Amino acid sequence: MEQVERKKAVMNPENDHKLVENIIIKTQGFVNGNIKEDDEKPVEIFRELLGLYKGIDRDALRENMRYFLSAVMPVCEQYGVDLCVHPDDPPLQILGLPRIVTCDEDIAWFLNAVDNPHNGLTFCAGSELARKYASRTKFVHLRSTDVLPGGNFKEASHLAGRAGIIDLVRTFQKENPSLPMRVDHAPLMLGDEKMGYNAGYSFHGRMLALGQMEGVMAVVDREIA
């Protein structure tokens, strides 16, 4: 709260709007289509949407997830479709909303709750669980982060940071070689900052990351061969 008060002292209406936009529109996927960037009262609309979750705690949300996965798995089996859950990002409660895919225990829960090969995981790099869940992973986001003092973090180069992406690629190429993988958040470069891209989704920065990962995969594939 002390940090909030310090920030409040230097804010102006334009920055207030940007902050609301970042918190409500950019980071909360469930508001997509419900709030537009030019809405005059986004906070009021957002509070109404939050109200839909009244009475929904972690256990209730888990049961909803189990029910949904159980219902759709027969169709997935019929048509050969894989579903993969992306872990909650960030893996902690925000604005009172429960999170149910935040850690090793949660991943094990939803995979076992509906133990079907078509029920899988989107592995978002930054975790040490690659080897454990390689066989049930259906899709990989390759990204890395640097941790800052106080627990904050920032995106790092795909060849740096704490994720150890080279070892992640090596693990997945050995354990699940047909697995689709893509680069994720990347830095701004060569004019990307002028294009209005969402944070992390710059064109030139991601092309650099893609080239880095193609090189890593080529080396790993040669190692395996």
Side-chain angles (χ1 to χ4, degrees), residues 33-48:
N34 293 292
I35 299 178
K36 303 177 182 62
E37 296 193 10
D38 58 352
D39 278 327
E40 294 183 0
K41 297 183 178 180
V43 175
E44 286 81 354
I45 299 172
F46 187 55
R47 284 175 173 156
E48 292 177 3

Side-chain angles (χ1 to χ4, degrees), residues 4-225:
V4 169
E5 290 301 319
R6 288 197 296 271
K7 189 69 175 176
K8 182 178 178 180
V10 298
M11 293 290 278
N12 57 38
E14 181 181 358
N15 287 333
D16 285 344
H17 179 76
K18 287 182 178 179
L19 181 61
V20 169
E21 180 180 289
N22 284 337
I23 294 174
I24 293 179
I25 298 174
K26 294 292 196 297
T27 66
Q28 303 299 320
F30 73 89
V31 306
N32 287 350
N34 293 292
I35 299 178
K36 303 177 182 62
E37 296 193 10
D38 58 352
D39 278 327
E40 294 183 0
K41 297 183 178 180
V43 175
E44 286 81 354
I45 299 172
F46 187 55
R47 284 175 173 156
E48 292 177 3
L49 293 170
L50 287 176
L52 299 175
Y53 285 79
K54 185 176 181 179
I56 301 294
D57 59 10
R58 180 172 179 269
D59 291 338
L61 199 59
R62 267 190 169 190
E63 176 55 26
N64 287 347
M65 184 179 187
R66 186 205 61 76
Y67 172 83
F68 168 76
L69 291 172
S70 298
V72 300
M73 279 301 116
V75 179
C76 291
E77 290 179 340
Q78 180 179 355
Y79 292 100
V81 174
D82 290 332
L83 295 187
C84 44
V85 177
H86 191 295
D88 286 312
D89 192 0
L92 44 88
Q93 288 196 36
I94 293 180
L95 302 171
L97 297 175
R99 304 286 200 179
I100 56 172
V101 187
T102 66
C103 61
D104 187 5
E105 176 192 351
D106 289 345
I107 295 171
W109 176 84
F110 86 78
L111 292 177
N112 292 325
V114 182
D115 190 9
N116 187 297
H118 293 280
N119 175 30
L121 173 69
T122 292
F123 194 93
C124 193
S127 170
E128 298 176 357
L129 302 175
R131 189 167 288 105
K132 181 174 183 179
Y133 293 111
S135 65
R136 293 293 294 273
T137 297
K138 306 297 183 181
F139 185 43
V140 179
H141 288 176
L142 293 173
R143 58 179 287 239
S144 188
T145 59
D146 286 322
V147 179
L148 305 175
N152 293 324
F153 69 90
K154 65 178 181 179
E155 303 292 339
S157 163
H158 281 66
L159 299 181
R162 65 174 179 165
I165 286 181
I166 296 173
D167 285 334
L168 283 173
V169 170
R170 187 176 285 117
T171 294
F172 286 125
Q173 290 293 84
K174 289 180 179 178
E175 303 291 334
N176 197 345
S178 62
L179 194 62
M181 294 184 267
R182 74 161 174 83
V183 299
D184 207 27
H185 304 164
L188 299 170
M189 58 185 295
L190 298 175
D192 282 336
E193 70 280 359
K194 302 175 184 177
M195 302 302 294
Y197 297 120
N198 280 353
Y201 291 94
S202 59
F203 176 75
H204 293 108
R206 297 182 84 198
M207 290 302 99
L208 170 64
L210 183 61
Q212 291 173 327
M213 288 300 95
E214 281 198 315
V216 169
M217 289 180 179
V219 172
V220 170
D221 286 341
R222 182 166 294 185
E223 286 177 355
I224 295 172

